[in-house]
Amino acid sequence: MSDLLTDAAERLFAGRAATEQGFDPALWAAVAEAGFAAALLPEDAGGAGTTVAEAMALLRTAAAHAAPIPLAETMLAGRLLALAGLAVPPGVLTLAPVRLADRMALHRDGGGWRLCGSASGIPWARHAAAVVVVAEAAEGPAVVRLDAGGFTLAEGRNLAGEPRDRIDADTRIAAEAAAPAPFDAIALHAAGAALRSVQIAGALAAALALSVQYAQTRVQFGRPIGRFQAIQHSLAILAGQSAAALAAADMATDALARALPPLLVGAAKARAGEAASIGAALAHQVHGAIGFTREYRLHRLTQRLWSWRDEFGNEATWQAAVGRIALAAGPDGLWPTLTAA
Amino acid sequence: MTALEALTFAPPPDPDAATEALRQEVRAFLAAELRDRTPQQRAESWSAADPAFSRRMAARGWIGMTWPRRYGGHQRSALERYVVLEEMLAAGAPVGHHWVADRQSGPNILRNGTEAQRQAILPRIAAGTCSFCIGMSEPDSGSDLAAARTRAERVDGGWRVNGTKVWTSGAHRADYMILFCRTGPAAGEDRHAGASQFLVDMQRARGNGMTVRPILDMRGAHHFNEVSFTDLRLDDDALLGQEGDGWKQVTAELAFERSGPERFLSSFALLTEAVRVLGPAASERAQVAIGRLCAHTLALRRLSRSIAGMLQAGADPALQAALVKDLGNVLEQETVEVVRLLIDTEPAAPEDATLAAVLAHLVLTAPSFSLRGGTREILRGIIARGLGLR
């Protein structure tokens, strides 16, 4: 990761007090202007030549500032379009389906296509210029660019107030807006899990920093509460969970740069999710009542952690996926399988 | 974020062709060496000492791997050494004879020893023929190492040692002890001043002022000892490093002691046995439980390899090592609880079924995981200091 890029991102996000619960259009404009939204695109599709690791460092920084913008979704949706050889439009992009139970179908319709189906929990759909859908077609999985206006929308939101909308489509799709997909909806789900792992690591690191800072300044019984051993040990555990989440984010980054091996994605999302649960609880405990208020900013991080750990598969879902691989490897294959991950 | 920067983990070096070739070489060696080793023997891991095994490992160049060739070392990278360590531990190889010497005593001598000390000892460690024990804890000085009272007084041509060390693992079979003791005035304002380290030749000392008595652990096994010194005479050249630098040296030694993969793989033999018993068609509950332990193992392995990379780069990862050891000990202890609730079995003596025997061993040793090499509480204090809270 180039320090230049991280520093630029840090300045951009830190310069704004992100008080908004919904979408921050001005911040998004600045992020798009800086090229961050295109960070996962190949250069011939409008990317800036950033590596997957650099893109994930940007995402982690955005998450550390609880930036209310669809950076993860736009990054990934654009990459999916580019991988399928479709043009990447400017503006906010998002993905569907994000839940394994949701399916969307693509049928031939004259010279073009028709996309049918619904999907729930679609991040930022109300703000999106297009939803990138991985649909099932007779020929196999297809990538479809579903433009705004081509679907009906029911608004919803996650615990942090981030838009999570339901979309319904029965829509004609132009021939040039669909293409065979070199991946399926399972891979899309795995990629989403990888991005959420990275975001969790960013938000948890920020929750740790905020908690340490608070413990150093809040005085009770005549001294900063961080001088009490009980608080020190809580923060030490939180630091351990944050380190584990960062390791998980690095595994997720490796997985994205490769073909999303389920062992790596699963271990990343499962471990990051567990770190989010333990870490968010400790951050609140250290903060006491102030952390429980709307006014103080801890909730912007913890509410995201509590949402992100469940999005694209919770810990148990991914632990089971990892467990199946480990059990299939058997006693003699277990260690070689883990070291090859 | 400055306080937190101290806790940053550098990205681990990528595996390359050389390290992976080495990994395959180690696996082939272990497949032959450990063919008849039972799962419960494997669970003993680095507590099991087998001098013949250590010599065969040494013959492959896998002890003292990173040390200079002129001291019998092999000038390999910290990452190559890491590969050998983790393969040995995952397979449950009996590496206990050379483990302490390779991990911390040798590096301490390399860093602080005189040329004569290096020449005399390091090649023997690298040959797998010289084992060390750690003379740190005392009856009134456990976690509070600076409270050590064992004292070495200057006498004509050397030193005279009086005091007692306890929990000294392997003292009954070690060739040397690195003794941490006071050489200055009693601890005053600066509790870390006035301590030094000595190389004690155990064979020469035994019966000449040093007594080693066994302390059985709660399983009845003999690893610990009490080592008492009554007017033990040490020559001038037994001093390791500078007089008065003992605290600085011992702290650096502890960073080596805490930094390795043995701090999260102690229960791996049980995970392996659980996978064997559960089989590929295990219940979803088993999948979730085993998957969780594997996810933790993968994240810890990444952090641990990062430490190896930092050592290679000449950085001081003492803080990171404390953090990984704390996380790793939690995993090691949780593994025991997870597996016993997953597979309805009663931990039993070794003549019984394999899983029950491994479980029995680990139920009885797991409490030590978060005590040895620095208690959980000490580690969390170190982490808190790294966070700027102390």
Side-chain angles (χ1 to χ4, degrees):
Chain A
M1 176 70 193
S2 69
D3 290 343
L4 219 59
L5 195 60
T6 333
D7 291 350
E10 190 58 45
R11 272 199 308 277
L12 195 155
F13 290 112
R16 300 173 183 265
T19 51
E20 316 234 353
Q21 275 298 298
F23 177 53
D24 182 341
L27 177 58
W28 179 251
V31 164
E33 170 70 25
F36 297 168
L40 272 182
L41 293 183
E43 277 184 81
D44 57 15
T50 39
T51 63
V52 171
E54 286 169 334
M56 292 304 100
L58 290 174
L59 188 57
R60 217 172 54 223
T61 306
H65 292 279
I69 51 167
L71 181 58
E73 292 78 5
T74 303
M75 275 182 177
L76 180 57
R79 185 177 178 88
L80 297 182
L81 286 174
L83 284 174
L86 296 176
V88 181
V92 171
L93 301 175
T94 189
L95 310 143
V98 296
R99 296 179 183 161
L100 284 176
D102 290 340
R103 294 274 186 275
M104 300 186 85
L106 189 69
H107 305 286
R108 288 253 175 227
D109 185 0
W113 302 91
R114 177 160 290 273
L115 180 72
C116 299
S118 57
S120 48
I122 304 308
W124 310 94
R126 77 191 71 157
H127 300 292
V131 180
V132 175
V133 177
V134 177
E136 290 171 350
E139 299 84 351
V143 175
V144 180
R145 200 191 76 221
L146 175 63
D147 290 331
F151 51 89
T152 59
L153 183 141
E155 293 194 352
R157 57 194 175 88
N158 69 10
L159 299 173
E162 293 182 309
R164 296 293 186 261
D165 304 329
R166 177 190 166 87
I167 62 166
D168 287 275
D170 183 359
T171 312
R172 229 188 105 69
I173 302 290
E176 66 274 14
F183 44 81
D184 57 13
I186 308 269
L188 169 63
H189 191 251
L195 295 186
R196 289 291 184 262
S197 305
V198 171
Q199 290 175 289
I200 284 173
L204 193 56
L208 169 65
L210 196 58
S211 302
V212 168
Q213 198 182 67
Y214 182 76
Q216 285 169 327
T217 48
R218 168 70 173 169
V219 174
Q220 288 287 277
F221 304 102
R223 47 182 165 157
I225 60 169
R227 303 277 294 279
F228 291 98
Q229 197 175 45
I231 302 286
Q232 291 176 354
H233 286 202
S234 285
L235 288 171
I237 298 169
L238 176 50
Q241 295 301 319
S242 176
L246 286 165
D250 288 344
M251 294 196 284
T253 303
D254 283 357
L256 275 168
R258 288 150 58 184
L260 293 163
L263 177 59
L264 215 47
V265 174
K269 185 63 164 58
R271 188 62 188 89
E274 194 174 330
S277 303
I278 300 169
L282 286 168
H284 275 286
Q285 189 64 30
V286 166
H287 272 90
I290 191 71
F292 201 64
T293 62
R294 193 70 174 171
E295 157 197 8
Y296 190 81
R297 63 197 161 111
L298 178 63
H299 68 81
R300 279 192 233 124
L301 298 164
T302 54
Q303 289 175 348
R304 279 171 172 77
L305 290 169
W306 290 322
S307 291
W308 293 342
R309 66 184 177 176
D310 286 330
E311 293 176 359
F312 296 101
N314 69 14
E315 294 93 291
T317 298
W318 284 111
Q319 283 159 357
V322 171
R324 281 191 290 278
I325 295 166
L327 289 157
D332 297 330
L334 177 63
W335 177 251
T337 299
L338 293 179
T339 49
Chain B
M1 298 282 279
T2 40
L4 301 187
E5 275 161 19
L7 274 175
T8 302
F9 283 79
D14 287 325
D16 56 26
T19 52
E20 291 318 289
L22 173 62
R23 187 185 300 285
Q24 297 312 321
E25 194 191 332
V26 176
R27 282 183 185 167
F29 169 82
L30 289 173
E33 281 282 339
L34 306 184
R35 192 175 295 125
D36 301 323
R37 199 161 173 79
T38 65
Q40 55 266 44
Q41 287 174 320
R42 290 172 191 254
E44 295 264 354
S45 188
W46 54 288
S47 301
D50 179 347
F53 178 83
S54 291
R55 283 196 301 275
R56 290 195 293 276
M57 257 187 80
R60 296 290 188 119
W62 295 336
I63 302 177
M65 283 180 76
T66 62
W67 307 346
R69 286 211 178 81
R70 66 182 182 279
Y71 302 126
H74 304 279
Q75 296 182 208
R76 309 286 290 255
S77 71
L79 203 68
E80 287 174 306
R81 175 170 180 268
Y82 187 88
V83 165
V84 171
L85 295 189
E86 69 170 354
E87 289 297 326
M88 292 288 159
L89 295 169
V95 289
H97 183 67
H98 67 268
W99 194 257
V100 167
D102 177 70
R103 177 180 69 190
Q104 64 195 81
S105 316
N108 189 346
I109 293 165
L110 190 61
R111 188 182 285 191
N112 299 306
T114 62
E115 187 57 29
Q117 287 169 335
R118 294 178 192 169
Q119 300 273 8
I121 294 173
L122 295 177
R124 290 169 56 203
I125 296 176
T129 57
C130 182
S131 79
F132 270 71
C133 61
I134 304 167
M136 294 190 197
S137 294
E138 297 185 6
D140 294 323
S141 166
S143 287
D144 184 9
L145 184 56
R149 287 203 301 238
T150 296
R151 165 173 299 282
E153 283 173 303
R154 268 211 182 278
V155 291
D156 198 26
W159 302 83
R160 188 172 56 218
V161 181
N162 281 285
T164 305
K165 293 286 171 184
V166 279
W167 321 129
T168 316
S169 296
H172 54 300
R173 52 175 170 74
D175 299 297
Y176 283 93
M177 170 192 282
I178 292 185
L179 172 70
F180 174 80
C181 64
R182 306 214 62 79
T183 45
E189 277 295 290
D190 182 359
R191 304 181 70 233
H192 300 158
S196 304
Q197 287 188 310
F198 292 89
L199 284 162
V200 179
D201 182 328
M202 298 293 275
Q203 208 144 16
R204 277 182 59 193
R206 201 182 301 260
N208 290 309
M210 183 188 79
T211 315
V212 178
R213 293 187 203 87
I215 302 174
L216 300 187
D217 68 19
M218 66 178 173
R219 292 182 306 148
H222 178 200
H223 295 287
F224 289 149
N225 298 277
E226 179 193 74
V227 184
S228 348
F229 304 98
T230 310
D231 293 335
L232 170 71
R233 176 63 204 250
L234 295 176
D235 294 337
D236 267 332
D237 64 3
L239 180 69
L240 176 63
Q242 294 302 308
E243 181 183 347
D245 273 358
W247 184 259
K248 196 177 80 187
Q249 292 173 199
V250 87
T251 309
E253 196 185 323
L254 280 166
F256 285 119
E257 182 169 345
R258 291 170 183 152
S259 66
E262 73 269 38
R263 303 306 184 182
F264 69 96
L265 287 171
S266 301
S267 296
F268 194 76
L270 183 61
L271 181 59
T272 305
E273 285 318 297
V275 165
R276 187 190 312 279
V277 169
L278 290 163
S283 67
E284 171 141 15
R285 177 176 155 242
Q287 293 169 4
V288 169
I290 296 297
R292 176 170 173 268
L293 297 175
C294 291
H296 277 252
T297 303
L298 284 173
L300 273 161
R301 181 168 177 264
R302 192 174 179 97
L303 294 172
S304 187
R305 281 168 53 233
S306 162
I307 290 176
M310 291 171 78
L311 285 172
Q312 177 67 26
D316 172 18
L319 254 178
Q320 286 81 354
L323 198 143
V324 169
K325 180 180 178 316
D326 183 32
L327 277 177
N329 293 162
V330 171
L331 172 65
E332 292 174 335
Q333 292 173 338
E334 274 190 342
T335 300
V336 179
E337 294 306 302
V338 167
V339 171
R340 62 168 271 272
L341 294 176
L342 203 54
I343 303 168
D344 194 5
T345 185
E346 293 171 27
E351 63 269 20
D352 278 299
T354 293
L355 179 91
V358 176
L359 190 58
H361 174 75
L362 282 167
V363 165
L364 293 177
T365 49
S368 70
F369 299 164
S370 52
L371 302 174
R372 62 186 184 188
T375 65
R376 170 171 298 144
E377 291 71 21
I378 286 294
L379 299 174
R380 289 182 180 170
I382 291 171
I383 298 163
R385 183 174 291 118
L387 290 171
L389 295 168
R390 296 178 59 199

